[in-house]
Amino acid sequence: MSNLANQLVIAERADLARGIRLLLGSPLIRAATDPDAFDLVRRRADTLAGWFDYHCGWSLVVEPRRGYARLAKVRSDPDSSRPARRDRGSRAPFDRRRYALFCVAAAELLAGPATTVGLLADRVAQATAADPVLPGFDPALRAERMAFVDVLRALEGFGALEPVDGSTEDFADSAGAKVLYRVDAALLMRLLAAPNGPSRSPDGDRLAGLLAEPRYGGAGGTDVQRALWLRHSVLRKLFDDPVVYWADLTAEQRGYATSRTGRGIIRKAAEQGGFALEERAEGMLLVDPESLATDGRFPDDGDNAKVAALHLLDSLGASRAGLTAEQLREDAESVLDRSPGSARTYRYSDGPARLVADAVSVLVDFGLARRSGERIVALPAAARYTIVSGSPDSAGGNPS
């Protein structure tokens, strides 16, 4: 093989690894907001699409003319650890009301290429009034308008909605605000990462209908379909969760992951993605040296709850039986005392208790702790963040 051919192969491998991690961290990449990442994914679209389909059963759609790439990451076991968040203030997660308004607004936006905030609010109000299940939307109420603004800001962030004239924030102050929008209906349709559309879901269990994947054959599937399911289900967890514990896998999944074939595929996939694979007696995880593949970081000095979570790990690691939230309160108070100018939202209305609750949620979401009744128990991956004697740095890194 010539030197040029070698260089091309090396470049393609580097692009594949970077593209994999970029898409894992941001499943929707737009040319308008990240032109370099989009250009890489566009150039390696076929290779990346084949890689994700083989390893995870995920589909990748790249639209060069429309300027976006969308990786539809389907989870085998949906969870709530990665909620949509409000694009202001403390970035609180969406509540049930905002998710409902998001879905109704998205459906109503498909009516045309442009709209105004007033027209859209009226359409959402009419749609919710006609639905026997959803509470009606009343734009006369400020709390409703604020929830609606959070929804519209989220759609703007995805690029499905673009304000042409006016500011969405104005609607929170006045129902008579004038805002004109351009709608990208094609991108809007891509936001739903589900194997099936809502209209094809059975009336009994809508969520199960959305997530059903016939390619695996269900309970009556063939051996080939079952093998495909095992590969995809294990690798989905590995590439989408901070850590995979053997105890959280089924017996079949553990058997696949520890088999000669399974281990070979897992190790090769990690290498192709540019990850360092850590295998332990309790499970495995991927570490991204560039932190491209993660949508959340830990540790994170800019987040009060994550700072507190790192401190809580010291106490949790010293107790095999775990600790209660009340026992962890002292650690939270210590964090607040040492940083009197920060974490202002935790300095009223029983702030230490709320800080403990938020910090524990961080640890649970990152696979570092679990709730056992009223106790919080450290998990094996928490040892990555144990302070090493003589070093100011933790033993951890940035898991994917």
Side-chain angles (χ1 to χ4, degrees), residues 366-399:
F366 277 88
L368 303 175
R370 62 178 172 83
R371 295 183 178 90
S372 179
E374 295 184 355
R375 290 183 170 273
I376 298 94
V377 182
L379 293 175
R384 291 175 53 81
Y385 303 97
T386 300
I387 300 299
V388 179
S389 178
S391 170
D393 299 323
S394 71
N398 289 306

PDB file of all heavy atoms in Angstrom, residues 366-399:
ATOM      1  N   PHE A 366     -25.245   9.501  36.931  1.00  0.00           N
ATOM      2  CA  PHE A 366     -23.923   9.158  36.399  1.00  0.00           C
ATOM      3  C   PHE A 366     -23.474   7.751  36.796  1.00  0.00           C
ATOM      4  O   PHE A 366     -22.328   7.374  36.552  1.00  0.00           O
ATOM      5  CB  PHE A 366     -22.879  10.187  36.859  1.00  0.00           C
ATOM      6  CG  PHE A 366     -22.834  11.423  36.007  1.00  0.00           C
ATOM      7  CD1 PHE A 366     -23.656  12.501  36.291  1.00  0.00           C
ATOM      8  CD2 PHE A 366     -22.000  11.504  34.906  1.00  0.00           C
ATOM      9  CE1 PHE A 366     -23.635  13.646  35.508  1.00  0.00           C
ATOM     10  CE2 PHE A 366     -21.969  12.638  34.113  1.00  0.00           C
ATOM     11  CZ  PHE A 366     -22.795  13.721  34.418  1.00  0.00           C
ATOM     12  N   GLY A 367     -24.371   6.990  37.396  1.00  0.00           N
ATOM     13  CA  GLY A 367     -24.037   5.614  37.743  1.00  0.00           C
ATOM     14  C   GLY A 367     -23.043   5.489  38.868  1.00  0.00           C
ATOM     15  O   GLY A 367     -22.356   4.468  38.992  1.00  0.00           O
ATOM     16  N   LEU A 368     -22.972   6.496  39.717  1.00  0.00           N
ATOM     17  CA  LEU A 368     -22.008   6.500  40.814  1.00  0.00           C
ATOM     18  C   LEU A 368     -22.641   6.124  42.151  1.00  0.00           C
ATOM     19  O   LEU A 368     -21.934   5.858  43.123  1.00  0.00           O
ATOM     20  CB  LEU A 368     -21.347   7.874  40.935  1.00  0.00           C
ATOM     21  CG  LEU A 368     -20.648   8.372  39.667  1.00  0.00           C
ATOM     22  CD1 LEU A 368     -20.135   9.796  39.864  1.00  0.00           C
ATOM     23  CD2 LEU A 368     -19.506   7.441  39.281  1.00  0.00           C
ATOM     24  N   ALA A 369     -23.957   6.137  42.217  1.00  0.00           N
ATOM     25  CA  ALA A 369     -24.665   5.789  43.447  1.00  0.00           C
ATOM     26  C   ALA A 369     -26.060   5.301  43.090  1.00  0.00           C
ATOM     27  O   ALA A 369     -26.539   5.493  41.971  1.00  0.00           O
ATOM     28  CB  ALA A 369     -24.740   6.992  44.393  1.00  0.00           C
ATOM     29  N   ARG A 370     -26.699   4.642  44.050  1.00  0.00           N
ATOM     30  CA  ARG A 370     -28.081   4.204  43.863  1.00  0.00           C
ATOM     31  C   ARG A 370     -28.861   4.449  45.150  1.00  0.00           C
ATOM     32  O   ARG A 370     -28.291   4.553  46.240  1.00  0.00           O
ATOM     33  CB  ARG A 370     -28.148   2.724  43.496  1.00  0.00           C
ATOM     34  CG  ARG A 370     -27.597   1.783  44.553  1.00  0.00           C
ATOM     35  CD  ARG A 370     -27.747   0.333  44.150  1.00  0.00           C
ATOM     36  NE  ARG A 370     -27.057  -0.565  45.078  1.00  0.00           N
ATOM     37  CZ  ARG A 370     -27.563  -0.990  46.224  1.00  0.00           C
ATOM     38  NH1 ARG A 370     -28.797  -0.617  46.581  1.00  0.00           N
ATOM     39  NH2 ARG A 370     -26.876  -1.798  47.016  1.00  0.00           N
ATOM     40  N   ARG A 371     -30.144   4.572  44.992  1.00  0.00           N
ATOM     41  CA  ARG A 371     -31.021   4.723  46.151  1.00  0.00           C
ATOM     42  C   ARG A 371     -31.479   3.339  46.600  1.00  0.00           C
ATOM     43  O   ARG A 371     -31.940   2.540  45.786  1.00  0.00           O
ATOM     44  CB  ARG A 371     -32.222   5.597  45.809  1.00  0.00           C
ATOM     45  CG  ARG A 371     -31.868   7.049  45.464  1.00  0.00           C
ATOM     46  CD  ARG A 371     -33.109   7.865  45.204  1.00  0.00           C
ATOM     47  NE  ARG A 371     -32.817   9.269  44.917  1.00  0.00           N
ATOM     48  CZ  ARG A 371     -32.608   9.752  43.710  1.00  0.00           C
ATOM     49  NH1 ARG A 371     -32.644   8.924  42.662  1.00  0.00           N
ATOM     50  NH2 ARG A 371     -32.342  11.037  43.519  1.00  0.00           N
ATOM     51  N   SER A 372     -31.353   3.072  47.876  1.00  0.00           N
ATOM     52  CA  SER A 372     -31.803   1.813  48.462  1.00  0.00           C
ATOM     53  C   SER A 372     -32.692   2.161  49.649  1.00  0.00           C
ATOM     54  O   SER A 372     -32.196   2.370  50.759  1.00  0.00           O
ATOM     55  CB  SER A 372     -30.610   0.961  48.910  1.00  0.00           C
ATOM     56  OG  SER A 372     -31.046  -0.251  49.500  1.00  0.00           O
ATOM     57  N   GLY A 373     -33.988   2.264  49.383  1.00  0.00           N
ATOM     58  CA  GLY A 373     -34.896   2.727  50.421  1.00  0.00           C
ATOM     59  C   GLY A 373     -34.593   4.175  50.736  1.00  0.00           C
ATOM     60  O   GLY A 373     -34.553   5.036  49.849  1.00  0.00           O
ATOM     61  N   GLU A 374     -34.328   4.472  51.995  1.00  0.00           N
ATOM     62  CA  GLU A 374     -34.003   5.832  52.406  1.00  0.00           C
ATOM     63  C   GLU A 374     -32.508   6.110  52.355  1.00  0.00           C
ATOM     64  O   GLU A 374     -32.073   7.229  52.643  1.00  0.00           O
ATOM     65  CB  GLU A 374     -34.517   6.079  53.831  1.00  0.00           C
ATOM     66  CG  GLU A 374     -36.042   6.033  53.951  1.00  0.00           C
ATOM     67  CD  GLU A 374     -36.503   6.376  55.349  1.00  0.00           C
ATOM     68  OE1 GLU A 374     -35.632   6.554  56.223  1.00  0.00           O
ATOM     69  OE2 GLU A 374     -37.730   6.478  55.556  1.00  0.00           O
ATOM     70  N   ARG A 375     -31.718   5.123  51.987  1.00  0.00           N
ATOM     71  CA  ARG A 375     -30.260   5.290  51.967  1.00  0.00           C
ATOM     72  C   ARG A 375     -29.729   5.484  50.547  1.00  0.00           C
ATOM     73  O   ARG A 375     -30.319   5.010  49.580  1.00  0.00           O
ATOM     74  CB  ARG A 375     -29.575   4.086  52.612  1.00  0.00           C
ATOM     75  CG  ARG A 375     -29.803   4.011  54.126  1.00  0.00           C
ATOM     76  CD  ARG A 375     -29.067   2.850  54.762  1.00  0.00           C
ATOM     77  NE  ARG A 375     -29.128   2.955  56.217  1.00  0.00           N
ATOM     78  CZ  ARG A 375     -28.270   3.643  56.961  1.00  0.00           C
ATOM     79  NH1 ARG A 375     -27.247   4.253  56.377  1.00  0.00           N
ATOM     80  NH2 ARG A 375     -28.410   3.710  58.266  1.00  0.00           N
ATOM     81  N   ILE A 376     -28.612   6.172  50.462  1.00  0.00           N
ATOM     82  CA  ILE A 376     -27.903   6.343  49.210  1.00  0.00           C
ATOM     83  C   ILE A 376     -26.596   5.577  49.334  1.00  0.00           C
ATOM     84  O   ILE A 376     -25.814   5.790  50.284  1.00  0.00           O
ATOM     85  CB  ILE A 376     -27.622   7.834  48.920  1.00  0.00           C
ATOM     86  CG1 ILE A 376     -28.940   8.606  48.789  1.00  0.00           C
ATOM     87  CG2 ILE A 376     -26.812   7.968  47.638  1.00  0.00           C
ATOM     88  CD1 ILE A 376     -29.409   9.256  50.044  1.00  0.00           C
ATOM     89  N   VAL A 377     -26.371   4.658  48.396  1.00  0.00           N
ATOM     90  CA  VAL A 377     -25.216   3.761  48.465  1.00  0.00           C
ATOM     91  C   VAL A 377     -24.288   4.025  47.285  1.00  0.00           C
ATOM     92  O   VAL A 377     -24.737   4.090  46.132  1.00  0.00           O
ATOM     93  CB  VAL A 377     -25.670   2.285  48.446  1.00  0.00           C
ATOM     94  CG1 VAL A 377     -24.462   1.357  48.561  1.00  0.00           C
ATOM     95  CG2 VAL A 377     -26.666   2.022  49.570  1.00  0.00           C
ATOM     96  N   ALA A 378     -23.003   4.171  47.544  1.00  0.00           N
ATOM     97  CA  ALA A 378     -22.022   4.381  46.476  1.00  0.00           C
ATOM     98  C   ALA A 378     -21.872   3.111  45.648  1.00  0.00           C
ATOM     99  O   ALA A 378     -21.919   1.997  46.170  1.00  0.00           O
ATOM    100  CB  ALA A 378     -20.676   4.790  47.065  1.00  0.00           C
ATOM    101  N   LEU A 379     -21.705   3.268  44.340  1.00  0.00           N
ATOM    102  CA  LEU A 379     -21.486   2.154  43.427  1.00  0.00           C
ATOM    103  C   LEU A 379     -20.008   2.078  43.049  1.00  0.00           C
ATOM    104  O   LEU A 379     -19.251   3.038  43.257  1.00  0.00           O
ATOM    105  CB  LEU A 379     -22.365   2.325  42.184  1.00  0.00           C
ATOM    106  CG  LEU A 379     -23.872   2.199  42.420  1.00  0.00           C
ATOM    107  CD1 LEU A 379     -24.642   2.510  41.148  1.00  0.00           C
ATOM    108  CD2 LEU A 379     -24.231   0.807  42.926  1.00  0.00           C
ATOM    109  N   PRO A 380     -19.559   0.947  42.505  1.00  0.00           N
ATOM    110  CA  PRO A 380     -18.127   0.761  42.241  1.00  0.00           C
ATOM    111  C   PRO A 380     -17.463   1.869  41.424  1.00  0.00           C
ATOM    112  O   PRO A 380     -16.308   2.220  41.686  1.00  0.00           O
ATOM    113  CB  PRO A 380     -18.095  -0.571  41.496  1.00  0.00           C
ATOM    114  CG  PRO A 380     -19.273  -1.324  42.049  1.00  0.00           C
ATOM    115  CD  PRO A 380     -20.333  -0.285  42.248  1.00  0.00           C
ATOM    116  N   ALA A 381     -18.177   2.430  40.436  1.00  0.00           N
ATOM    117  CA  ALA A 381     -17.553   3.457  39.594  1.00  0.00           C
ATOM    118  C   ALA A 381     -17.191   4.704  40.381  1.00  0.00           C
ATOM    119  O   ALA A 381     -16.370   5.513  39.939  1.00  0.00           O
ATOM    120  CB  ALA A 381     -18.490   3.834  38.437  1.00  0.00           C
ATOM    121  N   ALA A 382     -17.777   4.872  41.571  1.00  0.00           N
ATOM    122  CA  ALA A 382     -17.451   6.039  42.396  1.00  0.00           C
ATOM    123  C   ALA A 382     -15.986   6.042  42.811  1.00  0.00           C
ATOM    124  O   ALA A 382     -15.424   7.092  43.119  1.00  0.00           O
ATOM    125  CB  ALA A 382     -18.344   6.067  43.632  1.00  0.00           C
ATOM    126  N   ALA A 383     -15.354   4.866  42.806  1.00  0.00           N
ATOM    127  CA  ALA A 383     -13.936   4.777  43.184  1.00  0.00           C
ATOM    128  C   ALA A 383     -13.044   5.547  42.217  1.00  0.00           C
ATOM    129  O   ALA A 383     -11.906   5.894  42.569  1.00  0.00           O
ATOM    130  CB  ALA A 383     -13.509   3.314  43.247  1.00  0.00           C
ATOM    131  N   ARG A 384     -13.534   5.840  41.017  1.00  0.00           N
ATOM    132  CA  ARG A 384     -12.755   6.628  40.057  1.00  0.00           C
ATOM    133  C   ARG A 384     -12.452   8.019  40.595  1.00  0.00           C
ATOM    134  O   ARG A 384     -11.500   8.672  40.156  1.00  0.00           O
ATOM    135  CB  ARG A 384     -13.518   6.761  38.740  1.00  0.00           C
ATOM    136  CG  ARG A 384     -13.645   5.478  37.937  1.00  0.00           C
ATOM    137  CD  ARG A 384     -14.526   5.694  36.711  1.00  0.00           C
ATOM    138  NE  ARG A 384     -14.067   6.821  35.919  1.00  0.00           N
ATOM    139  CZ  ARG A 384     -13.075   6.786  35.041  1.00  0.00           C
ATOM    140  NH1 ARG A 384     -12.415   5.658  34.843  1.00  0.00           N
ATOM    141  NH2 ARG A 384     -12.730   7.850  34.366  1.00  0.00           N
ATOM    142  N   TYR A 385     -13.303   8.488  41.507  1.00  0.00           N
ATOM    143  CA  TYR A 385     -13.173   9.861  41.995  1.00  0.00           C
ATOM    144  C   TYR A 385     -12.626   9.922  43.414  1.00  0.00           C
ATOM    145  O   TYR A 385     -12.726  10.945  44.081  1.00  0.00           O
ATOM    146  CB  TYR A 385     -14.539  10.564  41.910  1.00  0.00           C
ATOM    147  CG  TYR A 385     -15.077  10.530  40.496  1.00  0.00           C
ATOM    148  CD1 TYR A 385     -15.995   9.556  40.106  1.00  0.00           C
ATOM    149  CD2 TYR A 385     -14.623  11.433  39.541  1.00  0.00           C
ATOM    150  CE1 TYR A 385     -16.459   9.500  38.799  1.00  0.00           C
ATOM    151  CE2 TYR A 385     -15.087  11.383  38.232  1.00  0.00           C
ATOM    152  CZ  TYR A 385     -16.003  10.411  37.866  1.00  0.00           C
ATOM    153  OH  TYR A 385     -16.445  10.359  36.573  1.00  0.00           O
ATOM    154  N   THR A 386     -12.057   8.818  43.858  1.00  0.00           N
ATOM    155  CA  THR A 386     -11.418   8.809  45.163  1.00  0.00           C
ATOM    156  C   THR A 386     -10.137   9.644  45.116  1.00  0.00           C
ATOM    157  O   THR A 386      -9.364   9.556  44.159  1.00  0.00           O
ATOM    158  CB  THR A 386     -11.058   7.364  45.586  1.00  0.00           C
ATOM    159  OG1 THR A 386     -12.259   6.596  45.645  1.00  0.00           O
ATOM    160  CG2 THR A 386     -10.387   7.351  46.943  1.00  0.00           C
ATOM    161  N   ILE A 387      -9.940  10.458  46.136  1.00  0.00           N
ATOM    162  CA  ILE A 387      -8.732  11.283  46.168  1.00  0.00           C
ATOM    163  C   ILE A 387      -7.517  10.400  46.406  1.00  0.00           C
ATOM    164  O   ILE A 387      -7.468   9.609  47.346  1.00  0.00           O
ATOM    165  CB  ILE A 387      -8.822  12.336  47.282  1.00  0.00           C
ATOM    166  CG1 ILE A 387     -10.031  13.245  47.039  1.00  0.00           C
ATOM    167  CG2 ILE A 387      -7.549  13.148  47.357  1.00  0.00           C
ATOM    168  CD1 ILE A 387      -9.970  14.011  45.749  1.00  0.00           C
ATOM    169  N   VAL A 388      -6.539  10.496  45.515  1.00  0.00           N
ATOM    170  CA  VAL A 388      -5.321   9.708  45.612  1.00  0.00           C
ATOM    171  C   VAL A 388      -4.317  10.452  46.484  1.00  0.00           C
ATOM    172  O   VAL A 388      -4.054  11.636  46.277  1.00  0.00           O
ATOM    173  CB  VAL A 388      -4.722   9.445  44.220  1.00  0.00           C
ATOM    174  CG1 VAL A 388      -3.435   8.651  44.340  1.00  0.00           C
ATOM    175  CG2 VAL A 388      -5.727   8.712  43.353  1.00  0.00           C
ATOM    176  N   SER A 389      -3.760   9.780  47.459  1.00  0.00           N
ATOM    177  CA  SER A 389      -2.811  10.409  48.385  1.00  0.00           C
ATOM    178  C   SER A 389      -1.626  11.008  47.629  1.00  0.00           C
ATOM    179  O   SER A 389      -1.020  10.367  46.783  1.00  0.00           O
ATOM    180  CB  SER A 389      -2.297   9.382  49.401  1.00  0.00           C
ATOM    181  OG  SER A 389      -1.360   9.975  50.261  1.00  0.00           O
ATOM    182  N   GLY A 390      -1.380  12.274  47.908  1.00  0.00           N
ATOM    183  CA  GLY A 390      -0.228  12.953  47.293  1.00  0.00           C
ATOM    184  C   GLY A 390      -0.546  13.606  45.973  1.00  0.00           C
ATOM    185  O   GLY A 390       0.312  14.198  45.368  1.00  0.00           O
ATOM    186  N   SER A 391      -1.822  13.481  45.509  1.00  0.00           N
ATOM    187  CA  SER A 391      -2.185  14.093  44.236  1.00  0.00           C
ATOM    188  C   SER A 391      -3.431  14.920  44.402  1.00  0.00           C
ATOM    189  O   SER A 391      -4.396  14.485  45.009  1.00  0.00           O
ATOM    190  CB  SER A 391      -2.428  13.003  43.180  1.00  0.00           C
ATOM    191  OG  SER A 391      -2.993  13.573  42.011  1.00  0.00           O
ATOM    192  N   PRO A 392      -3.480  16.125  43.830  1.00  0.00           N
ATOM    193  CA  PRO A 392      -4.666  16.974  43.940  1.00  0.00           C
ATOM    194  C   PRO A 392      -5.754  16.546  42.993  1.00  0.00           C
ATOM    195  O   PRO A 392      -6.872  17.024  43.081  1.00  0.00           O
ATOM    196  CB  PRO A 392      -4.127  18.368  43.589  1.00  0.00           C
ATOM    197  CG  PRO A 392      -3.014  18.097  42.617  1.00  0.00           C
ATOM    198  CD  PRO A 392      -2.371  16.817  43.133  1.00  0.00           C
ATOM    199  N   ASP A 393      -5.453  15.658  42.087  1.00  0.00           N
ATOM    200  CA  ASP A 393      -6.425  15.263  41.077  1.00  0.00           C
ATOM    201  C   ASP A 393      -7.163  14.023  41.490  1.00  0.00           C
ATOM    202  O   ASP A 393      -6.664  13.170  42.230  1.00  0.00           O
ATOM    203  CB  ASP A 393      -5.732  15.004  39.730  1.00  0.00           C
ATOM    204  CG  ASP A 393      -5.032  16.248  39.227  1.00  0.00           C
ATOM    205  OD1 ASP A 393      -5.582  17.346  39.420  1.00  0.00           O
ATOM    206  OD2 ASP A 393      -3.940  16.102  38.658  1.00  0.00           O
ATOM    207  N   SER A 394      -8.388  13.885  40.989  1.00  0.00           N
ATOM    208  CA  SER A 394      -9.158  12.665  41.241  1.00  0.00           C
ATOM    209  C   SER A 394      -8.655  11.563  40.350  1.00  0.00           C
ATOM    210  O   SER A 394      -7.933  11.774  39.382  1.00  0.00           O
ATOM    211  CB  SER A 394     -10.646  12.924  40.958  1.00  0.00           C
ATOM    212  OG  SER A 394     -10.856  13.050  39.586  1.00  0.00           O
ATOM    213  N   ALA A 395      -9.086  10.345  40.679  1.00  0.00           N
ATOM    214  CA  ALA A 395      -8.664   9.192  39.877  1.00  0.00           C
ATOM    215  C   ALA A 395      -9.533   9.005  38.662  1.00  0.00           C
ATOM    216  O   ALA A 395      -9.327   8.121  37.878  1.00  0.00           O
ATOM    217  CB  ALA A 395      -8.711   7.939  40.737  1.00  0.00           C
ATOM    218  N   GLY A 396     -10.539   9.866  38.514  1.00  0.00           N
ATOM    219  CA  GLY A 396     -11.516   9.661  37.445  1.00  0.00           C
ATOM    220  C   GLY A 396     -11.187  10.405  36.180  1.00  0.00           C
ATOM    221  O   GLY A 396     -10.134  10.992  36.007  1.00  0.00           O
ATOM    222  N   GLY A 397     -12.145  10.380  35.274  1.00  0.00           N
ATOM    223  CA  GLY A 397     -12.021  11.060  34.008  1.00  0.00           C
ATOM    224  C   GLY A 397     -13.388  11.507  33.559  1.00  0.00           C
ATOM    225  O   GLY A 397     -14.219  11.876  34.360  1.00  0.00           O
ATOM    226  N   ASN A 398     -13.613  11.445  32.265  1.00  0.00           N
ATOM    227  CA  ASN A 398     -14.890  11.831  31.698  1.00  0.00           C
ATOM    228  C   ASN A 398     -15.505  10.643  30.978  1.00  0.00           C
ATOM    229  O   ASN A 398     -15.257  10.452  29.783  1.00  0.00           O
ATOM    230  CB  ASN A 398     -14.727  13.011  30.732  1.00  0.00           C
ATOM    231  CG  ASN A 398     -14.401  14.303  31.453  1.00  0.00           C
ATOM    232  OD1 ASN A 398     -15.133  14.687  32.356  1.00  0.00           O
ATOM    233  ND2 ASN A 398     -13.314  14.947  31.079  1.00  0.00           N
ATOM    234  N   PRO A 399     -16.283   9.836  31.661  1.00  0.00           N
ATOM    235  CA  PRO A 399     -16.926   8.712  30.991  1.00  0.00           C
ATOM    236  C   PRO A 399     -17.870   9.219  29.906  1.00  0.00           C
ATOM    237  O   PRO A 399     -18.366  10.337  29.977  1.00  0.00           O
ATOM    238  CB  PRO A 399     -17.702   8.006  32.110  1.00  0.00           C
ATOM    239  CG  PRO A 399     -17.076   8.465  33.366  1.00  0.00           C
ATOM    240  CD  PRO A 399     -16.593   9.851  33.098  1.00  0.00           C
TER     241      PRO A 399
END
